[in-house]
Amino acid sequence: MLGLYKGIGSPMMGLTFINAIVFGVQGNAMRRLGEDTPLNQFLAGAAAGAIQCVICCPMELAKTRMQLQGTGEKKSSSRKVYKNSLDCLARIYQREGLRGVNRGMVTTLIRETPGFGVYFLAYDLLTRSLGCEPEDPYMIPKLLFAGGMSGIASWLSTYPVDVIKSRLQADGVGGKYQYSSIMDCTRKSIQREGWRVFTRGLTSTLLRAFPVNAATFATVTLFLLYVRPDEGSKDCEAAPASHQAPLQQQQAQKSSL
Ligand SMILES: NC(=[NH2+])NCCC[C@H](N)C(=O)O
């Protein structure tokens, strides 16, 4: 049973910092962009997604290596090498330097930059269309639903890249390297397993994404409402009605973040 929790240390340590970076960067980016438009919601989210990769990539590398520890083909690799996630990253750094610790960084950036853009855009559009007002008795269920669906939309939008990223970060466990590049990994994966390879693990990812992101977005939104009651939860002024496109006119309502 404990095997199901292999590698949990890394995301537990990393997600606190990642969420702090994500919501801090997104809020500041929205203030700098000035107008609360769907495009700016996407851009601010994408900026946050790109910046948090600095932590996300090594965190997921450690998680992947801890989960695969003891599964290698060679006897020497099957014994427990890493004591914990930090020890895992330290040993990778000793062996392979910064390049080793940042293995999978390019695919992580390709996944997270648009992924977080979709994440925040979906949440903004859903909370506006559901009418998440502080006086609404159903505000919390609406926030939970919007957050969960935003997490699902985000993972669906870039999941194929996650499959490749995970394979690149797992490459070499057991002493055998299979891939020479992102394209090589993509080509070999399709050749061996067909296009369905890009849906492997998708169900479990989506089952996890809904509750995690429902809780994350609802908590952040309610916290911001609590600490900034007079501002509502608005970070920046909506585009002036005269300049708003039809979609934006429907969104004169406040953003939820
Ligand atoms: N790669 C993504 N789709 N990221 C957006 C969702 C991020 C969120 N912290 C999660 O772990 O679900």
Side-chain angles (χ1 to χ4, degrees), residues 111-112 116 119 154-155 208 213:
R111 181 195 79 184
E112 295 292 74
F116 269 94
Y119 189 58
S154 170
W155 280 104
R208 166 214 168 271
N213 295 290

PDB file of all heavy atoms in Angstrom, residues 111-112 116 119 154-155 208 213, ligand 1:
ATOM      1  N   ARG A 111       4.622  22.207 -21.936  1.00  0.00           N
ATOM      2  CA  ARG A 111       3.370  21.752 -21.319  1.00  0.00           C
ATOM      3  C   ARG A 111       2.759  22.824 -20.436  1.00  0.00           C
ATOM      4  O   ARG A 111       1.563  23.131 -20.505  1.00  0.00           O
ATOM      5  CB  ARG A 111       3.637  20.504 -20.475  1.00  0.00           C
ATOM      6  CG  ARG A 111       2.407  19.912 -19.800  1.00  0.00           C
ATOM      7  CD  ARG A 111       2.772  18.919 -18.717  1.00  0.00           C
ATOM      8  NE  ARG A 111       3.183  19.605 -17.484  1.00  0.00           N
ATOM      9  CZ  ARG A 111       3.636  18.985 -16.407  1.00  0.00           C
ATOM     10  NH1 ARG A 111       3.787  17.662 -16.404  1.00  0.00           N
ATOM     11  NH2 ARG A 111       3.952  19.655 -15.323  1.00  0.00           N
ATOM     12  N   GLU A 112       3.572  23.444 -19.604  1.00  0.00           N
ATOM     13  CA  GLU A 112       3.048  24.325 -18.553  1.00  0.00           C
ATOM     14  C   GLU A 112       2.665  25.723 -19.048  1.00  0.00           C
ATOM     15  O   GLU A 112       1.735  26.330 -18.517  1.00  0.00           O
ATOM     16  CB  GLU A 112       4.069  24.469 -17.424  1.00  0.00           C
ATOM     17  CG  GLU A 112       4.343  23.168 -16.676  1.00  0.00           C
ATOM     18  CD  GLU A 112       3.147  22.694 -15.860  1.00  0.00           C
ATOM     19  OE1 GLU A 112       2.182  22.191 -16.475  1.00  0.00           O
ATOM     20  OE2 GLU A 112       3.168  22.831 -14.632  1.00  0.00           O
ATOM     21  N   PHE A 116      -1.078  26.449 -18.240  1.00  0.00           N
ATOM     22  CA  PHE A 116      -1.531  27.395 -17.212  1.00  0.00           C
ATOM     23  C   PHE A 116      -2.321  28.556 -17.820  1.00  0.00           C
ATOM     24  O   PHE A 116      -3.168  29.153 -17.155  1.00  0.00           O
ATOM     25  CB  PHE A 116      -0.338  27.916 -16.403  1.00  0.00           C
ATOM     26  CG  PHE A 116      -0.036  27.084 -15.193  1.00  0.00           C
ATOM     27  CD1 PHE A 116       0.901  26.069 -15.242  1.00  0.00           C
ATOM     28  CD2 PHE A 116      -0.723  27.299 -14.006  1.00  0.00           C
ATOM     29  CE1 PHE A 116       1.166  25.295 -14.122  1.00  0.00           C
ATOM     30  CE2 PHE A 116      -0.469  26.532 -12.883  1.00  0.00           C
ATOM     31  CZ  PHE A 116       0.478  25.520 -12.945  1.00  0.00           C
ATOM     32  N   TYR A 119      -5.598  27.133 -17.942  1.00  0.00           N
ATOM     33  CA  TYR A 119      -6.008  26.969 -16.546  1.00  0.00           C
ATOM     34  C   TYR A 119      -6.726  28.227 -16.025  1.00  0.00           C
ATOM     35  O   TYR A 119      -7.851  28.181 -15.546  1.00  0.00           O
ATOM     36  CB  TYR A 119      -4.735  26.701 -15.743  1.00  0.00           C
ATOM     37  CG  TYR A 119      -4.834  26.300 -14.314  1.00  0.00           C
ATOM     38  CD1 TYR A 119      -5.533  25.173 -13.906  1.00  0.00           C
ATOM     39  CD2 TYR A 119      -4.141  27.021 -13.338  1.00  0.00           C
ATOM     40  CE1 TYR A 119      -5.554  24.779 -12.568  1.00  0.00           C
ATOM     41  CE2 TYR A 119      -4.158  26.638 -12.004  1.00  0.00           C
ATOM     42  CZ  TYR A 119      -4.863  25.520 -11.626  1.00  0.00           C
ATOM     43  OH  TYR A 119      -4.874  25.136 -10.305  1.00  0.00           O
ATOM     44  N   SER A 154      -7.129  22.227 -18.359  1.00  0.00           N
ATOM     45  CA  SER A 154      -5.695  22.511 -18.471  1.00  0.00           C
ATOM     46  C   SER A 154      -4.908  21.254 -18.811  1.00  0.00           C
ATOM     47  O   SER A 154      -4.063  21.236 -19.710  1.00  0.00           O
ATOM     48  CB  SER A 154      -5.210  23.098 -17.148  1.00  0.00           C
ATOM     49  OG  SER A 154      -3.822  23.161 -17.138  1.00  0.00           O
ATOM     50  N   TRP A 155      -5.206  20.157 -18.117  1.00  0.00           N
ATOM     51  CA  TRP A 155      -4.470  18.915 -18.387  1.00  0.00           C
ATOM     52  C   TRP A 155      -4.824  18.342 -19.745  1.00  0.00           C
ATOM     53  O   TRP A 155      -3.973  17.819 -20.463  1.00  0.00           O
ATOM     54  CB  TRP A 155      -4.710  17.899 -17.275  1.00  0.00           C
ATOM     55  CG  TRP A 155      -3.877  18.172 -16.075  1.00  0.00           C
ATOM     56  CD1 TRP A 155      -4.285  18.726 -14.892  1.00  0.00           C
ATOM     57  CD2 TRP A 155      -2.472  17.942 -15.927  1.00  0.00           C
ATOM     58  NE1 TRP A 155      -3.229  18.861 -14.037  1.00  0.00           N
ATOM     59  CE2 TRP A 155      -2.102  18.386 -14.649  1.00  0.00           C
ATOM     60  CE3 TRP A 155      -1.481  17.414 -16.770  1.00  0.00           C
ATOM     61  CZ2 TRP A 155      -0.783  18.316 -14.175  1.00  0.00           C
ATOM     62  CZ3 TRP A 155      -0.170  17.329 -16.309  1.00  0.00           C
ATOM     63  CH2 TRP A 155       0.166  17.780 -15.031  1.00  0.00           C
ATOM     64  N   ARG A 208      -7.525  13.016 -10.629  1.00  0.00           N
ATOM     65  CA  ARG A 208      -6.773  13.779  -9.618  1.00  0.00           C
ATOM     66  C   ARG A 208      -6.965  15.278  -9.813  1.00  0.00           C
ATOM     67  O   ARG A 208      -7.114  16.036  -8.864  1.00  0.00           O
ATOM     68  CB  ARG A 208      -5.283  13.421  -9.707  1.00  0.00           C
ATOM     69  CG  ARG A 208      -4.355  14.360  -8.961  1.00  0.00           C
ATOM     70  CD  ARG A 208      -3.028  14.511  -9.683  1.00  0.00           C
ATOM     71  NE  ARG A 208      -2.247  15.618  -9.142  1.00  0.00           N
ATOM     72  CZ  ARG A 208      -2.350  16.864  -9.594  1.00  0.00           C
ATOM     73  NH1 ARG A 208      -3.209  17.148 -10.565  1.00  0.00           N
ATOM     74  NH2 ARG A 208      -1.640  17.828  -9.062  1.00  0.00           N
ATOM     75  N   ASN A 213      -7.643  20.866  -8.080  1.00  0.00           N
ATOM     76  CA  ASN A 213      -7.786  22.242  -8.566  1.00  0.00           C
ATOM     77  C   ASN A 213      -9.073  22.895  -8.111  1.00  0.00           C
ATOM     78  O   ASN A 213      -9.146  24.126  -8.013  1.00  0.00           O
ATOM     79  CB  ASN A 213      -7.627  22.261 -10.085  1.00  0.00           C
ATOM     80  CG  ASN A 213      -6.222  21.851 -10.467  1.00  0.00           C
ATOM     81  OD1 ASN A 213      -5.273  22.581 -10.241  1.00  0.00           O
ATOM     82  ND2 ASN A 213      -6.075  20.659 -10.992  1.00  0.00           N
TER      83      ASN A 213
HETATM   84  N1  LIG B   1       0.148  21.060 -16.523  1.00  0.00           N
HETATM   85  C1  LIG B   1      -0.963  21.660 -16.176  1.00  0.00           C
HETATM   86  N2  LIG B   1      -2.053  21.374 -16.828  1.00  0.00           N
HETATM   87  N3  LIG B   1      -0.923  22.501 -15.157  1.00  0.00           N
HETATM   88  C2  LIG B   1      -2.128  23.225 -14.703  1.00  0.00           C
HETATM   89  C3  LIG B   1      -2.650  22.587 -13.469  1.00  0.00           C
HETATM   90  C4  LIG B   1      -1.640  22.692 -12.355  1.00  0.00           C
HETATM   91  C5  LIG B   1      -2.139  22.180 -11.012  1.00  0.00           C
HETATM   92  N4  LIG B   1      -1.250  22.645  -9.962  1.00  0.00           N
HETATM   93  C6  LIG B   1      -2.208  20.633 -11.009  1.00  0.00           C
HETATM   94  O1  LIG B   1      -1.292  20.029 -10.521  1.00  0.00           O
HETATM   95  O2  LIG B   1      -3.167  20.055 -11.514  1.00  0.00           O
END
